Amino acid sequence: MKQLIPVLALSFIFATSCKTDNSKMTNTDIKPPVAKKNPKTLSIHNEDRIDNYYWMNDRENPDVIAYLNAENDYYEESTAHSKDFQKDLFEEMKSRIKEDDSSVPYKLNGYWYQVRYEKGKDYPIYTRRKGSMDAEEEIMFDCNTMAKGHAYFNLGGISVSPDNTYASFGIDTVSRRKYTIQIKNLITGEILPEKIETTTGGSTWANDNKTLFYTRKDEQTLRSNQIFKHKLGDDPENDVMVFEEEDETFNTYVYKTKSKEYIIIGSSSTMSDEYQILNADRPDEDFKLFTERRRGLEYDLAHYKDNFYILTNKDEAQNFKLMKTPVKATAETNWEEVIAHRKDVLLEGIDIFNNFLVTSERYNGLTRIHVQRWDEREEYYLPFTSETYTASTTTNVDFDTHKLRYSYNSLTNPASVIEFDMVDKTETVLKEQEVQDPDFDKNNYISERIWATANDGTEIPVSLVYKKGIKRNGENPLLQYAYGSYGATMDPYFSSTRLSLLDRGFIYAIAHVRGGEYLGRGWYESGKLLQKKNTFTDFVDVSKHLIDQKYTSPDHLYAMGGSAGGLLMGAVINIAPELYNGVIAAVPFVDVVTTMLDETIPLTTGEYDEWGNPNEKEYYDYIKTYSPYDNVEAKAYPNLLVTTGLYDSQVQYWEPAKWVAKLREMKIDNNKLYLETNMDAGHGGASGRFEALKELAKDYAFILELEQITE
């Protein structure tokens, strides 16, 4: 329900139209709300910036809520004619999804665990069976029941005690990523009365079945900064804090090793890691520092028998290497090399088995899975041939097995979970995504990888997928997507929802721009801090290449990105707005200077090593040159759909709200500009797998209508 505000209380202007004859109303009849300007001077480094819309930074201000509602009303009225099309798109995408679906079960500590969905229901059901899949099903959590009465619901962090009796879990009903941890007795079905507030949702059991370690968040900044110890049955008020991360650029977390022998407290920033270890059999002892924290030293830990295995960038190993150290001598001086650093191969992860070491690697942008025996008698790569695929190891919880589980999919191949026998090299497809469309045939689509030359001569890889029969004549609609931050790689993956674009003649392109790790760690480092603008210019240069090669043209080119990818969208339409007919910016991080100067905002301090700290003039000056909000100009911009969530904890709602208000004030075109705020959700949008499809249907309807495709 929208909050009702008396008209006289509104301190901004609403320009509305007469609604007596909606049947004759056109988009030009509907006027957008015009936000009031209340100048605020922001001063630093002997410079003043004037922010006319800073007042929107107050979720409790009735004027702010009224403005967001007015923008929502404008969007709803302007797109009312497309509601049937949106509904058709939603039903079309939903119809391809197997509603009564289930995950591949896996065995852990005597039980088989599985997640399943029932037809017509939005949320998962978590189950287990004792001993075999033929045993009676135990429903651990039915999220459909638990979600009743909540506009948003998310359950996460399920952790089962070693004796299989209790399960801890976290619930978020606000979409602020502030989870409440509770504990369920899996034998009686009782949920215990203790509630642990403001956590990450995750927790881990010690081996005594009564001690639970978890992470608390700072109430204001939402930084994960404290590790607590809870005793089963105790009042959470009595929980003991066992560690506090005082460095505001670090977050902390806690987990148990695959061996179940150690509880690990981790502390991580963008450029450094530190760990503390504790024998899981002795939860009341003190944690022991693994090795002294050192800026620039990044590493991950895995335990196996008498050693810890360390994936690290030690000794300038930019693409990481594997080392090990005895459990009784963990200081950095004792680390020994297992797999050397390779300049052309990024070592992304490891899976340890009794007889095998499995490494996940990235070479020339492509993921590889390498298997080697500990006795060094044999080593090999799993055979993959495509250039537009994604492969990764999945749930491998046992040491004593020669079966490796991994997932595989590509832009044209639905996702599969595969079990690979590392001894005889045979594999079994345990599950392949079912596309519920009798007309779907993966052979009707083509995928390829091409390379675009950036303005500095760097070759940028691009993954493409389209339907057979598409001709490169410059007339094809094309949706270009990218993210490009935090070293997050957007691998080419299959999407059944994307078929709604491909089957209507769209080409879909993923631009693997710098700032991700598609081509290794150096690819990331050349797209951050004082080289961040490479991310934006790479995207623009990919667009130019796609146009030059006649995959599309400016009249038919669309761009989409979310969060840091939304920053990318804001930057590219400031750089080259003429290249795009339409842009979708989801939960966009667009007010970079102001946000990075405000240490009270969630995530700010932990991101200085990603964007730079604008309290230092060098970074302030550089960020100011690309921050989308600070660089809006009086010029023509593409058609634009901007989405956000009122309770977003990652990118605060006021960033896109202010950006849209400033664009309305400055732009000189008559193109569409919409802001839609989900008043019940946060960074991830609506909860529930089908509610999320409704949001995607709106996105697709926006760009399809710009192509004059309405069915």
Side-chain angles (χ1 to χ4, degrees), residues 4-48:
L4 300 178
I5 307 295
V7 174
L8 294 178
L10 299 181
S11 50
F12 53 86
I13 304 168
F14 287 118
T16 58
S17 61
C18 177
K19 300 181 182 179
T20 56
D21 188 359
N22 287 333
S23 64
K24 297 181 180 180
M25 185 179 294
T26 66
N27 287 350
T28 57
D29 296 321
I30 307 166
K31 304 300 181 184
V34 178
K36 73 167 184 176
K37 295 168 66 173
N38 184 9
K40 181 177 177 63
T41 301
L42 303 170
S43 302
I44 191 172
H45 304 306
N46 296 317
E47 178 179 297
D48 293 337

Side-chain angles (χ1 to χ4, degrees), residues 323-336:
M323 306 186 79
K324 70 176 182 179
T325 194
V327 295
K328 295 183 179 179
T330 60
E332 186 182 346
T333 53
N334 299 307
W335 297 4
E336 300 175 2

Side-chain angles (χ1 to χ4, degrees), residues 258 304 352-355 397-403 422:
K258 177 178 174 179
Y304 180 60
I352 295 175
F353 300 86
N354 275 339
N355 296 315
V397 296
D398 292 329
F399 285 111
D400 192 19
T401 180
H402 52 88
K403 302 288 183 68
M422 293 181 283

Side-chain angles (χ1 to χ4, degrees), residues 32 110 121 133 219 233 292 428 434 495 528 562 602 661 681 686 708:
K121 295 184 178 180
M133 285 301 293
E219 186 70 44
E292 291 289 339
T428 303
E434 297 181 38
S495 167
K528 62 183 288 196
Q708 298 182 6

